[in-house]
Structures are given as structure tokens and as C-alpha cells.
Amino acid sequence: MTTPTATPAPLPVDADTLAAVAEGRHHDPHAVLGAHPHPDGAAVTYRALRPFASAVTVVRDGDGERIELVHERDGVFVGAGPLPRRAGVPAGDYRLEVTYPGEAGEDVVEVHDDAYRHLPTLGELDLHLIGEGRHERLWEVLGARVRRDGSGGLVGTSFAVWAPNARAVRVVGDFNGWTGRTHAMRSLGSSGVWELLVPGVEHGARYKYEVLGADGAWQQNADPLARWTEVPPATASRVLESDYAFTDEEWMERRRTTDPHERPLSIYEVHLGSWRPGLSYVELAEQLVEYVTWQGFTHVEFLPVAEHPFGGSWGYQVTGYYAPTSRFGTPDEFKHLVDALHAAGIGVLVDWVPAHFPKDAWALGRFDGTPLYEHADPQRGEHPDWGTYVFDFGRTEVRNFLVANALYWIGEFHVDGLRVDAVASMLYRDYSREDGQWTPNVHGGNHDLEAISFLKEVNSTVYRVHPGVLMIAEESTAFSGVSAPVDAGGLGFGKKWNMGWMHDTLAYLSEDPVNRRWHHDQWTFSMVYAYSENYVLPLSHDEVVHGKGSLLGKISGDHRQKLATLRAYYAYMWAHPGKQLLFMGGEYGQPTEWSEERGLDWAASWDDAHRGVQLTVRELNALYRAKPALWSADHSPEGFAWVDGGDADGNTLVFLRRPADGQGGAPLLNITNLSGAMRHGLRVGVPTAGEWTVVLDTDSTDFHGDGRREQAGQPEVLRAETGQWQGQPAYLTVDVPALSTLWLEPHAG
């Protein structure tokens, strides 16, 4: 006769700990819930939290053992049983058979995996790198990641979040009725990371973190590393399992092996929501790609596409740094848009906003009940202009969050570079602050040393991990070395926006031609400092909003004169040293100020005169790509020479562009006449005698100009005579229409 084995008693847990677990506020629920072998090695205790269950049974996968649990308190069930009889069968390999009372008096039995039987999904190396601020693929360990078994079957989704000062963190979502007590996360020691794998949760699930802050208050927060979100104004994060396969291998290989700083770069700046309102990422992949291809730009630059709650911020107040906005589709559909642009030979730049973030209580602000992502000192942690928080650039985990974010957009979405917004606000402790509102740095100066160090780190890291991409600074001050290498003492950007050129030239154009002689230096001053940085010449969205009017509206003259001046200005801009950026609508001379609510005034582009501007930009892009003189020596003084930069009375500029050594191609002569009269018989010095061909005339009837040279029967091929003039060994004589630009080059025939 066999003596029955006595049922072992469960391991005890003190009442306070059990209450904290039952209420979902324990910092280490896995220490209580799940399977726990006894010290004697003969038995195992199982605890499960199922608040609304009437019965819970553990069913072990390996040996089929069934262990009935009894209700202990407040939804916690407990029981103990022998260790598995078969060697190699883990005690933690089990399922929960849960019985719930049914509405009609019949019990409902469900079988669930148990979140608290799973090991942590972050390893020691991950936690070490997070602690040091050096985890360059942070999005692969924090946030929400769908987990599958060896055969591809769904296990669930692991959630991980950094909240070092929280007392407790739990996951809430549509998979648990937004009731967090059943999915409390465990704290992974001093790392400040909280983690939990929730079985059965898959792609598309909505979730948030419910954080018991250091201040004692519960707060539901979106995931700082969410890779997908609800469509605003909804604020939940969503679980993403991407299955997109890029087809741009050839583009990516060329990017890795090509220096983008010495290639053509003409950028079309786009606000996705108002380019043609209502289009999705997929529709933009057709219509935007077709348009930019026809227009001839080498790159698009998107205003920030990271998720943001207020559409009127245009994306510059980010709440979801790792999530493309859901307004236009899914993250995979955004990848499709990038892929389609690459297939058309068009690079993709994205505006990136590491300077500040909004104070929305459900996002990054006071995330664990303390200043976490923002600097704790209000003089450094709050931005007076924008009513936002400023990142704590001296905190390693915050720097890691931002550096990894830059790598994420470039690596995961194949974008070809980032234009970093509001760099000037990061560089100075006294930016937009009066005396008494800022504290000097350790050296007594006004530079923000931590932010400067961060910018050097992010640029160095991006260029090391992703060679061939572009990091571009929007920086409006005279800070030295923005685009100089870090090892030479610079910030390490590849390019910097030339805001001074933009403001000076637009101010010049606002003057009546008869008055421009008194403002000639505004037109020429940019060449005094043209090689102090690697510049992009921007005519950006900032110049056509907030009462500033349109580019066309800034120019003096009647409507036809404005359009003629704009064509001439663009040709001068494309010939000026530096790369070009033009905000959408500018390519056809949008007559009204841009509004993200209305979208672009495409009807204006159907008018012949406006279409002439559009055709001019198209021709400029085609000539620009084809002529190395216009781009190959942008950042070298050898690529530019004044022929006549001092003709203030004639409102005329004449200069040469030369290709870099080894590039081939001919020099190009730019003549821009922004006076109100035709310059008849203008003598211009050139480097060689012989025939010179007019390759561009912005007054041509091809661009719906007046065609004054055509009407006068003037030839497209002119002969330059030998003779010193304007420092050149030869000269030619040319008629230059009012408000026009001519490009000429030595005749190749």
C-alpha cells in the first residue's frame, strides 16, 4: 500500500508585501508571483494574481501536474506542489487555468500564460550600457517589443521603461481593461529600468505606463520609446511589430561609400500634412515622389514627423520621439514613403528636435514624479519662449535617449540625415533670458557646456555608425565651428543653415530698385564669411508664416516684377556657394502666406506667370546637377571669384563659379541684374576668350518672362575678346534684362 504524499505548505509572504502585490504597487512582483522553488529543493510554490477569478489552477506543461491554488487575499491565489518528476522539466513551464463566474450562472474557464513566470528580457550588458549612456540601439530593449518562440509563435510583448525614481510602474492597456494592478512591472535594480513580459499581447495593442511617482501620485504616461501611437488627439502608445522590407539596397550602399558634402544638394522642404492635405504616407509615396522627381530636387526635408499632440506646432513640440506621426499612416507606411523616394533617386532629411519638449502631463514631463528628462533647475529646464521643458543634457540616460533616437531615424527608417532644430537655443544658458534668469557655467561664461558636449557626441556617433549621412544645424548665431569636425574643436555638424544670407538678401529685395544701391552690402556680405562654415542657403518655412507673408510678398514691385525678381533671385541662389533649401510653395511663387490648415495654393501654379517660376526652379535643378562648377567646390574659395561685386548703382552682381579639381566641367558665369532697367552692352570680364553660351536666362519666354533678349534677336552664343577687364584676361559684351539672371559658360562646340 502506497502512502500518499503530503501536500507541501506554500512559502509564506508577509501581509504588507502581499498587499502591495495585490494592489499592483510592489517594486518586484516577480519575487512573490510566479513559481518559487522551496529551499529544500523538494517543492515549488505558485502564486498568481487574478482579482476577479473564483478558482485558479496551475497546469504544468512538462508533466501535466495540476496544482489547485487557493485564494489568499485580494485576488492573490497560492498553492504548492512537488517539483516536476521528470528531469529537465522546469517548474516554471506552466499555464494558469482560471475560472470566472459567468453572467448566466455558468463558470467561464480560460487558460492563460503567466507574465510572472518569464525571465527579464534585458540582459546585464543592456543594463550596463543604459547606465553608462552608451546603448546605441536603445529602442531594441526599452519600449514594447513583440516576442516570439523558436517556431515563430507569439509569446507576448515585453515592456521596459526607464523611471528610476518611481515607487511602482505597471502596464495598462486594452489587453487588461486599462486596470494596472494585474500587470505590475519589476524594477531591475539600480538601472532605473522597469520590465514585464505580458503574454498574448501583439501588434496593434494600445498601452500606457501607470507610474507611482516619487511624489506619491499615480500618473498614466505614454511610452517614451513607443514606436507607434494612436492618432492624435488620442495619446496611447501602440505595440509595433514591423514587417517592412526595404528595397533600397543600392541606395544604401552608395550612401555608405559617398561623401554627401561634395555632391549636389538642393532640398525641397515639406510639411507633410499641408503639401496636399489629406494624403497618407502611401499616397505621398506616389504624388510627392512624382512631383519632386519632376521638379528635380535632390532631397526632400520633412518638418518633424515624430509624433506630436498639436498639429499647429508642425511637429516641433514632440511627445513621441521614436514614433512617426500616425496622422498619415503606420510606421511601416512611412518606411514605404522613404523607400519610394530612394527608388526615385531622392534623399530624405528629417527635422529633429532635441532642444526641448512640451509639458503635457501624459508624456515626458515629470515622468516619474521628478524632473527626469528635463533639467531640475527651472532656469535651465524650462524654455521661456516656447513654454516647454529643456532636456537635461548632462544626464547620461537622457543623452542616451537622444543619441539613440538620432540613430533610430537613420537606421530604422533609412533617412539620409537630420536637420537639428533650434541649435542656438541649446548653446547658450542665457538664450532668451534676462539678467537674473540664468546661471553662468563653471567658467563663468554663458555657454551651455553639457549641451555642447551632447551635440558633439550625437554628431560623432551618427557619422561613425552611419557614414554618408548629413547632420545639419539650424543655428542662427555666430557660434564658431558649428560645421567643423569635433577633433578640430567644432560641434561636428556637416552643414549649417546660413540664416544671415537669407535675412540680408530678402531685406535687399524688399527695397525698390532705385533704393537698392544703398543696400548693396546686404547682397554681397555673405561672401565675406561664406567659407567660415559649410552652409546651406535656406528659404524655409520660418520666412512664410506668423504674419511674414510669402516670399513673393516680400519683394518690391508689381506682380509681374515680383515674379521676375523671384526667378532671378533663385538663379542667383543656385549659383551662390552653398547648398539650397526651398520651402514648398516657393517653387511656384505661392502668393499667400503658408497655413498648415489650408495647405498650399496649388491653383496659383496653374497661372502661366507662376508656372514660369516653377519651370525656372526645375531648370535650375537640372543645370545644377549637370554642372560641377555649381556644387563641387561649394566649401572652397577656389570655387568662387568675384568679377564685379561692387556695382551698387547698377544693382548688378557678376561672379564666376569653378569646379573642383578633378571634377571636370567648365566654369560658369553668373550675372544678376536686379535693377529696374535693362543693362545694354554690359562689359563683363571672363577667364577665356572665345565663344560663351547663355545656358540660362530667367527672363526667357520659356519661363513666362518678357523675353527681351529674344525679342531683340540677341544670340545665345557670344564672343569674348582678349583684353584685361575686371581682373580677367578677356571680356564679353552682353545685354542683361531688368530683374533677371543670366548663366553663361564657355562654348563646348
Side-chain angles (χ1 to χ4, degrees), residues 409-429:
W409 286 100
I410 294 169
E412 293 292 309
F413 293 99
H414 290 198
V415 303
D416 303 297
L418 302 175
R419 177 275 206 177
V420 183
D421 181 63
V423 170
S425 74
M426 302 170 67
L427 297 178
Y428 303 97
R429 288 191 174 196

Side-chain angles (χ1 to χ4, degrees), residues 412-491:
E412 293 292 309
F413 293 99
H414 290 198
V415 303
D416 303 297
L418 302 175
R419 177 275 206 177
V420 183
D421 181 63
V423 170
S425 74
M426 302 170 67
L427 297 178
Y428 303 97
R429 288 191 174 196
D430 60 346
Y431 186 90
S432 287
R433 291 173 171 87
E434 303 295 332
D435 289 344
Q437 296 178 338
W438 64 281
T439 305
N441 62 34
V442 294
H443 305 298
N446 66 341
H447 286 169
D448 190 321
L449 302 180
E450 292 86 357
I452 290 169
S453 174
F454 159 72
L455 290 170
K456 292 180 178 182
E457 179 183 350
V458 70
N459 287 324
S460 298
T461 304
V462 165
Y463 282 127
R464 171 176 54 81
V465 177
H466 295 291
V469 301
L470 285 162
M471 294 294 286
I472 304 171
E474 186 221 13
E475 201 284 311
S476 56
T477 74
F479 191 91
S480 178
V482 172
S483 60
V486 170
D487 58 11
L491 294 182

